[in-house]
Amino acid sequence: MSATAVHSLWTTAADPIQKIDAPNIEYGQLSPTLIVIGAAVVGILVEAFVPRRSRYYAQIFVSVVALAAAFAAVVGLAASGYGTTKAGIAAMGAVAVDGPALFLQGIILLVGVLGVFTFAERRLDPVAHGNRVDSFAAQAASVPGSDSEKAAVKAGFTTTEVFPLLLFAIGGMLVFPAANDLLTLFIALEVFSLPLYLLCAVARRKRIMSQEAAVKYFLLGAFASAFTLFGIALLYGYAGSVSYATIAQVVDGTVQSVNPALADTMGNDALLLIGAAMVVMGLLFKVGAVPFHMWTPDVYQGAPTPVTGFMAAATKVAAFGALLRLLYVVLPGLRWDWRPVMMGVAVVTMLGGAIVAITQTDIKRLLAYSSIAHAGFILAGVIATTPDGVSSVLFYLGAYSFVTIGAFAVVTLVRDAGGEATHLSKWAGLGRRSPLVAAVFAVFLLAFAGIPLTSGFAGKFAVFKAAAEGGAGALVVVGVISSAIAAFFYIRVIVLMFFSEPRPDGPTVAVPSPLTMTAIAVGVAVTLVLGVAPQYFLDLAGQSGVFVR
């Protein structure tokens, strides 16, 4: 074959390729996420170039300023009408900027600020070798109990890279509920999961238990991610697109153009049902719904408590936001298929979380099973499939996240010689030793139980009302029974704290710095305000409850 023939072959083959257009990115609408990710990158540079003694303060400054700026950006977008009239799709169809996305991003950023405060706490442990220490390992890479770890402790090292990891996790969580195509959803899932796997492994005390928790979370999380990715592939085969809008059109039968390469598989219902089930399974794993909840108690118990508090609050918000968008925007045409399944999941989640929590003797495991039960309550609002259902879930997520981060912040204060005293027997008589701490914890427990005048009551009332109006009355009955079972173990802890004799070898309550005090105070304030006067926030959630399609 001559050189000219070869030349003609490749020139003709190259002709039909069109010019690739430069992407059009709406930086203003994506600003909250870009600020947080940018600050995380700055945090890594701080780790590389700032002297060790100054890193701690530099990281806190960068983190808090970035989260505050990102929250201001969310408020600015909402005030400009992006939550209502101007809601639209940004980043070439990858991200939705609408009411639910902005509302949930606002909650995640506020929880993130409180998370930074609890991460930065350095007054709870006694001073070691003349240095203040925090909840994180002196040198996370060293083997527990090894000489290098002892040397790092003696030198007073602190693990400040937890702050950029926290910011990366928050960045992923901001994209997750706003993702408008399946690939963006998966990338956001990985961006916020990987930092959390690392953060779970860096506890200062109980290093082995912490690393075990991280390995369990990582392995089970990898399984869940694999299911999600397989489901995404099947949905792409079904619809010929990963875009939410296109998949919804193929489900409804209103799609205009058919990709010839996928004409044979498009519209194959088996692909749709299996793919949707797998993606939803991955999201149910993240919210900790039964039967995908097995990681929750072990990880909550083993992870450093500040990480547990942040993870319990923020991951639920992000994952429920993504689940709502998937079910309401992509699969409304499949409602008759997914509603009965989700109802079954909600029932076993509510009952399973509440019943198993009764047997727990560790306060962190008890709160873990409590969070599983709450996932079931929130699913009741998801199943309503009405605008009230969306707004009730948004309100519940906001209320629940502040109660959770406050409750775990209180758990960090009760300590004995081995660190945090999480065994319930050690909390006996705490109300006599330290009435204020016990009273604050009692407020959070009453909110979890859904007692009137707390945010928990307003949230439960909203989701159960939406579920009843949406035709899921049986679910409400199960929810009320589960709430009654759950109230038993919350009130049992309150009785233990206030009506039991303190043990002579009982734990002490450490006096925290203003950072943890702020986190707890904000938690109490939000719990009481949303309980006593919830209407403004219910209205706000109602205005934010419309997904852009």
Side-chain angles (χ1 to χ4, degrees):
M1 189 185 270
S2 69
T4 48
V6 173
H7 180 258
S8 68
L9 273 177
W10 65 254
T11 46
T12 43
D15 283 343
I17 294 177
Q18 282 114 25
K19 188 167 73 70
I20 296 174
D21 293 325
N24 178 30
I25 306 294
E26 297 83 350
Y27 291 103
Q29 293 174 42
L30 301 174
S31 54
T33 311
L34 296 175
I35 291 168
V36 172
I37 297 286
V41 174
V42 171
I44 291 173
L45 295 176
V46 167
E47 284 298 308
F49 295 112
V50 172
R52 189 183 287 277
R53 64 178 178 279
S54 312
R55 278 180 209 164
Y56 169 78
Y57 298 103
Q59 293 285 21
I60 294 174
F61 176 76
V62 168
S63 304
V64 173
V65 168
L67 293 172
F71 183 72
V74 168
V75 173
L77 287 169
S80 311
Y82 282 104
T84 46
T85 50
K86 284 199 208 163
I89 309 293
M92 299 185 71
V95 177
V97 182
D98 57 7
L102 292 174
F103 190 90
L104 295 171
Q105 286 176 342
I107 295 171
I108 290 165
L109 289 165
L110 290 175
V111 168
V113 172
L114 300 185
V116 171
F117 288 170
T118 55
F119 275 43
E121 178 57 61
R122 295 175 83 180
R123 286 211 193 149
L124 299 178
D125 271 315
V127 171
H129 304 289
N131 297 293
R132 292 194 181 282
V133 294
D134 54 18
S135 303
F136 302 100
Q139 195 161 18
S142 55
V143 176
S146 64
D147 292 339
S148 64
E149 186 189 43
K150 288 172 188 161
V153 171
K154 210 165 196 177
F157 289 177
T158 52
T159 303
T160 45
E161 55 266 37
V162 293
F163 294 103
L165 284 173
L166 177 74
L167 289 177
F168 276 120
I170 293 170
M173 288 173 185
L174 294 179
V175 178
F176 200 53
N180 198 53
D181 68 44
L182 292 169
L183 282 181
T184 309
L185 180 84
F186 182 73
I187 291 166
L189 174 73
E190 293 305 303
V191 169
F192 84 76
S193 297
L194 293 171
L196 289 179
Y197 301 151
L198 287 172
L199 287 170
C200 288
V202 293
R204 178 175 287 272
R205 310 287 185 103
K206 301 180 181 161
R207 292 283 312 276
I208 304 282
M209 194 174 175
S210 169
Q211 292 180 355
E212 181 194 347
V215 170
K216 282 179 179 168
Y217 191 23
F218 170 66
L219 288 176
L220 290 171
F223 273 115
S225 295
F227 274 115
T228 308
L229 200 54
F230 207 128
I232 288 170
L234 294 177
L235 285 176
Y236 176 72
Y238 167 81
S241 170
V242 289
S243 158
Y244 282 7
T246 310
I247 298 171
Q249 285 173 346
V250 179
V251 173
D252 295 341
T254 56
V255 70
Q256 308 304 320
S257 59
V258 176
N259 182 340
L262 291 162
D264 292 340
T265 60
M266 272 183 72
N268 180 337
D269 285 349
L271 290 181
L272 170 65
L273 292 170
I274 299 170
M278 285 181 138
V279 176
V280 168
M281 200 187 298
L283 295 176
L284 289 176
F285 171 87
K286 278 292 166 203
V287 302
V290 179
F292 313 106
H293 67 293
M294 288 304 181
W295 60 277
T296 311
D298 290 350
V299 173
Y300 279 30
Q301 185 183 10
T305 306
V307 175
T308 307
F310 168 74
M311 189 167 72
T315 307
K316 268 213 179 18
V317 177
F320 267 112
L323 185 65
L324 276 174
R325 192 176 294 278
L326 192 74
L327 295 178
Y328 281 56
V329 175
V330 186
L331 304 171
L334 264 191
R335 184 173 304 169
W336 302 112
D337 294 296
W338 63 252
R339 259 194 91 170
V341 177
M342 296 298 274
M343 280 173 129
V345 170
V347 167
V348 294
T349 304
M350 289 190 282
L351 288 173
I355 291 167
V356 181
I358 293 175
T359 63
Q360 299 307 310
T361 55
D362 184 277
I363 196 85
K364 284 168 82 173
R365 287 183 84 85
L366 184 133
L367 290 175
Y369 279 105
S370 143
S371 89
I372 292 168
H374 281 280
F377 299 140
I378 300 170
L379 279 172
V382 174
I383 289 160
T385 61
T386 59
D388 278 353
V390 180
S391 59
S392 70
V393 169
L394 296 182
F395 179 83
Y396 199 125
L397 289 169
Y400 172 81
S401 55
F402 285 98
V403 181
T404 303
I405 203 156
F408 278 106
V410 173
V411 171
T412 62
L413 304 185
V414 182
R415 309 180 86 80
D416 58 15
E420 288 159 10
T422 56
H423 198 278
L424 272 178
S425 62
K426 297 190 176 168
W427 286 59
L430 190 72
R432 302 185 187 186
R433 272 220 171 112
S434 184
L436 181 62
V437 169
V440 166
F441 198 60
V443 169
F444 291 135
L445 290 174
L446 292 172
F448 281 135
I451 304 297
L453 298 183
T454 63
S455 59
F457 175 76
K460 272 186 187 160
F461 185 80
V463 290
F464 288 163
K465 177 168 169 273
E469 289 172 355
L475 209 58
V476 177
V477 175
V478 177
V480 171
I481 293 168
S482 303
S483 296
I485 298 170
F488 166 75
F489 61 79
Y490 295 128
I491 290 168
R492 190 184 72 180
V493 177
I494 295 173
V495 169
L496 184 76
M497 289 194 299
F498 286 100
F499 299 105
S500 301
E501 286 299 321
R503 289 168 52 171
D505 59 336
T508 55
V509 173
V511 178
S513 68
L515 293 169
T516 298
M517 285 182 191
T518 305
I520 295 171
V522 170
V524 172
V526 172
T527 303
L528 296 176
V529 168
L530 293 187
V532 177
Q535 198 54 51
Y536 170 76
F537 298 96
L538 283 166
D539 292 344
L540 190 66
Q543 290 163 13
S544 310
V546 182
F547 289 101
V548 65
R549 291 184 196 279

